[in-house]
Amino acid sequence: MAIEPPLTDLPIKTADTGFYRGFSVNVTVISKIIISALVVWAIFWPIQSGAVLNGMNSYILGNFAAWYIWVVAFFVIVCLALAIWPTAGRLKLGLDHEEPEFTNFSWFSMMFGAGIGVGMLTWAVAEPVAHFGSNPETIKGLTTGGAADNVRMAYKWSFLHWGFSAWACYGIAGLSLAFFSYRRGLPLTIRSSLTPLFGKALSGPLGHVIDIVAVVATILGVAQTLGFGVEQFVAGLSRIGIGGLVNAEGGATMAGIIIAIIVIMGASTLSALSGVGKGIKWLSNINMVLSIFLLSFFIIFGATWFGASAMFVGLWDYVLALPGMSLNVWKSDGVEGSEAFLLAQWQGWWPVFYWAWWIAFAPFVGLFLARISRGRTIREFVLGALIVPALMCFVWFAWAGGTAIDLELNGGANGVIFDAANGDKIFAMTEFMLSPIADALAWAMALLIVVLLMTFLVTSADSAVLIVNTINAAGDEGPKARPHILFWGAALGLVVAGLLISGGTSAIQTAMVIGALPFSIVMVLMCFSLIKAIFNDGRREAAGVPTLAEPSATPAE
């Protein structure tokens, strides 16, 4: 039987007139209702919502931890296999004659800034410090928490959470969306990536459900990032002399949360109105330059050799241990305080939480990566999206986190850094480094970090608003109605505020872990769909059947 041409037409009904003109009413309205209900529930019934979310989170961690661990390992394998597979690796994410729209520097800047850059300012210091104190090896008694023999373990686990696994989640989503949108001519929306499995049925309710799941996951995943960022932003404002924003325990006050969200979401909404090629591109370039400056400060004036050792030895340990760390699932024996209980608890707090975070972030970052990667080959995309940003994260962790550990071990910090709140650790560290020289320098560095943090947060937030609108508009990348951009900007800010009020960042974490679960299933289907499409395209080429949606071609029925 002759092989059929690929599907190159997936009609998605959008409104022709009125407030929702150009938008899929089913996806947009239902997504708005779900997010609005979450906001109202979290703000007006904070105790009840916190209790329910925590109960659901406990159930998911108890029953789906293995799913999260193994599914992310599967994403890494699929990405690497597609890059190695000759038939797949040479394919362009676009028509054969198309070239990349952005330079490599802008491409990496936008990829890093929107994907993970904001996390570096919190976790590049906080996470190595946390694992230096406790990790599976300390639980097993193989190393000593807070001692020199635990440094390598701290970096092995830090690299796991921010390395190839994280970017494989983004890579799968980005590859699928770019392949089916730019090679097949299908709408740039999540449902298009599943057409080899479900065909034109995705034009109807099934496709609507998939896109709604993606929108909700995106809002919750970005809310997680903004939640951490808001707390750090408030800590930074306090460090540069703005009072009344931090309570006695070092956390953000209600006033601090509100001010930070108004500033960040106001700037991000204005940036979103200008589009990807203007506001987001320039912001990404600015925060890349500022982050290189800050990182250079840690490399030159921080723990230069300690950081170099952490980088290269940690990378070696990470690569060797990656298969075991990626596949191992610890089961609790139910005995509180036992080794098995503590290992399972630690895995829920760290890898499972992170895998849920990256999966929830994947529709946003994936669609954004697809948007900025048109014209690149699959192999170029995988190597660029998995390896380069991961190495950038490793460099940050090695020298920023390494400086913190070295100052505490050998530099006389005496808990100044370790005892600070996670978001405040980088400020505490730079102040400790610079205050002996000049308080003005310490203040100037704190200001630079606040500006850099804001550009990262604005880049993430405005990118998310544009991505959500693209999904709601059936993949239309063109200008969107301003009221919808304003709505999603406000909604994102209210989700962060509501969940912070109802239970702090832990409430955001819980909501995000719950929201990521259904989208993880969609991502597994994306993998099989992409593999099936590429395999069938090889057969089509051999049979002389077109595989591309040329601009002048008539869509296949």
Side-chain angles (χ1 to χ4, degrees):
M1 186 173 69
I3 187 169
E4 296 292 327
L7 180 69
T8 57
D9 181 34
L10 185 67
I12 302 173
K13 182 176 175 54
T14 58
D16 296 324
T17 59
F19 183 72
Y20 287 102
R21 182 186 178 194
F23 287 80
S24 169
V25 176
N26 294 296
V27 175
T28 307
V29 172
I30 295 175
S31 298
K32 287 182 176 180
I33 290 172
I34 292 172
I35 294 300
S36 299
L38 177 62
V39 169
V40 171
W41 186 41
I43 291 177
F44 291 99
W45 292 277
I47 297 176
Q48 181 198 50
S49 61
V52 172
L53 288 173
N54 285 332
M56 294 175 67
N57 185 53
S58 298
Y59 177 81
I60 289 174
L61 293 180
N63 294 277
F64 291 93
W67 166 259
Y68 276 120
I69 297 295
W70 291 336
V71 82
V72 171
F74 175 64
F75 297 154
V76 175
I77 293 169
V78 171
C79 281
L80 295 177
L82 289 174
I84 296 170
W85 183 12
T87 302
R90 62 179 172 80
L91 293 177
K92 276 196 171 184
L93 299 174
L95 305 181
D96 291 337
H97 65 274
E98 290 184 314
E99 296 299 325
E101 178 183 356
F102 300 102
T103 65
N104 285 338
F105 181 81
S106 289
W107 187 49
F108 291 137
S109 297
M110 287 190 284
M111 194 159 40
F112 184 76
I116 216 166
V118 65
M120 290 299 94
L121 296 180
T122 300
W123 296 108
V125 177
E127 182 149 350
V129 166
H131 297 322
F132 181 60
S134 176
N135 59 59
E137 278 72 23
T138 63
I139 294 172
K140 294 176 184 178
L142 302 176
T143 57
T144 306
D149 70 333
N150 200 37
V151 172
R152 292 177 67 168
M153 298 303 103
Y155 277 93
K156 182 180 77 172
W157 290 104
S158 297
F159 286 1
L160 171 68
H161 299 147
W162 294 80
F164 305 141
S165 302
W167 289 92
C169 295
Y170 305 155
I172 288 298
L175 275 176
S176 299
L177 290 162
F179 183 91
F180 290 104
S181 294
Y182 301 140
R183 288 186 68 81
R184 297 284 197 259
L186 299 174
L188 185 62
T189 187
I190 306 299
R191 71 178 79 187
S192 295
S193 61
L194 303 184
T195 49
L197 301 180
F198 301 108
K200 287 197 171 182
L202 293 166
S203 291
L206 176 62
H208 300 333
V209 170
I210 290 168
D211 283 348
I212 291 167
V213 166
V215 169
V216 173
T218 297
I219 293 296
L220 294 178
V222 176
Q224 174 68 66
T225 298
L226 294 180
F228 285 133
V230 162
E231 291 203 332
Q232 187 171 32
F233 187 67
V234 170
L237 293 178
S238 178
R239 287 278 179 177
I240 62 176
I242 301 177
L245 304 182
V246 176
N247 57 34
E249 291 77 32
T253 63
M254 183 78 70
I257 291 172
I258 293 172
I259 290 172
I261 288 176
I262 289 174
V263 171
I264 292 165
M265 295 313 303
S268 65
T269 303
L270 291 175
S271 179
L273 291 170
S274 70
V276 174
K278 296 179 182 178
I280 296 176
K281 176 183 175 181
W282 284 106
L283 275 173
S284 298
N285 289 341
I286 290 169
N287 60 36
M288 180 60 82
V289 170
L290 290 177
S291 65
I292 289 172
F293 174 83
L294 180 60
L295 183 59
S296 299
F297 169 78
F298 292 129
I299 293 174
I300 297 171
F301 300 104
T304 304
W305 300 112
F306 188 98
S309 174
M311 175 67 189
F312 294 107
V313 176
L315 184 57
W316 173 261
D317 291 340
Y318 163 66
V319 172
L320 289 181
L322 182 58
M325 292 191 297
S326 299
L327 296 171
N328 183 55
V329 176
W330 283 299
K331 297 285 188 180
S332 174
D333 59 6
V335 180
E336 189 168 349
S338 69
E339 181 178 299
F341 177 88
L342 293 174
L343 287 171
Q345 184 182 61
W346 187 92
Q347 191 167 54
W349 284 347
W350 291 98
V352 173
F353 158 68
Y354 270 123
W355 296 169
W357 189 2
W358 305 149
I359 288 169
F361 224 43
F364 152 52
V365 182
L367 205 153
F368 187 72
L369 289 183
R371 169 64 184 82
I372 65 176
S373 301
R374 185 168 188 162
R376 299 182 183 272
T377 66
I378 289 179
R379 184 172 294 114
E380 184 181 9
F381 180 95
V382 170
L383 295 177
L386 259 69
I387 296 177
V388 175
L391 288 176
M392 190 68 178
C393 291
F394 298 162
V395 169
W396 267 96
F397 275 74
W399 274 278
T403 298
I405 293 173
D406 187 51
L407 288 173
E408 290 283 1
L409 280 178
N410 309 308
N414 295 322
V416 169
I417 303 169
F418 284 5
D419 294 342
N422 285 335
D424 196 35
K425 279 183 167 62
I426 192 169
F427 295 105
M429 181 172 69
T430 53
E431 182 175 303
F432 178 80
M433 293 170 67
L434 293 171
S435 289
I437 304 171
D439 288 338
L441 282 178
W443 183 88
M445 184 59 75
L447 179 63
L448 183 145
I449 295 171
V450 168
V451 172
L452 177 57
L453 177 63
M454 179 157 177
T455 61
F456 271 135
L457 289 169
V458 170
T459 302
S460 295
D462 63 8
S463 300
V465 169
L466 287 176
I467 294 311
V468 165
N469 261 341
T470 298
I471 297 173
N472 287 334
D476 177 18
E477 300 176 73
K480 305 297 187 298
R482 288 174 179 263
H484 297 286
I485 290 178
L486 295 172
F487 172 86
W488 286 112
L492 188 53
L494 288 171
V495 167
V496 175
L499 291 173
L500 283 175
I501 290 168
S502 68
T505 53
S506 62
I508 303 179
Q509 293 172 21
T510 299
M512 181 270 303
V513 169
I514 296 167
L517 185 60
F519 192 72
S520 68
I521 299 170
V522 174
M523 287 186 63
V524 171
L525 295 176
M526 281 181 170
C527 293
F528 290 110
S529 179
L530 187 58
I531 293 169
K532 180 180 179 181
I534 294 172
F535 175 76
N536 284 338
D537 275 4
R539 295 174 58 209
R540 291 185 180 104
E541 287 183 358
V545 177
T547 61
L548 298 174
E550 295 289 352
S552 58
T554 301
E557 293 297 323

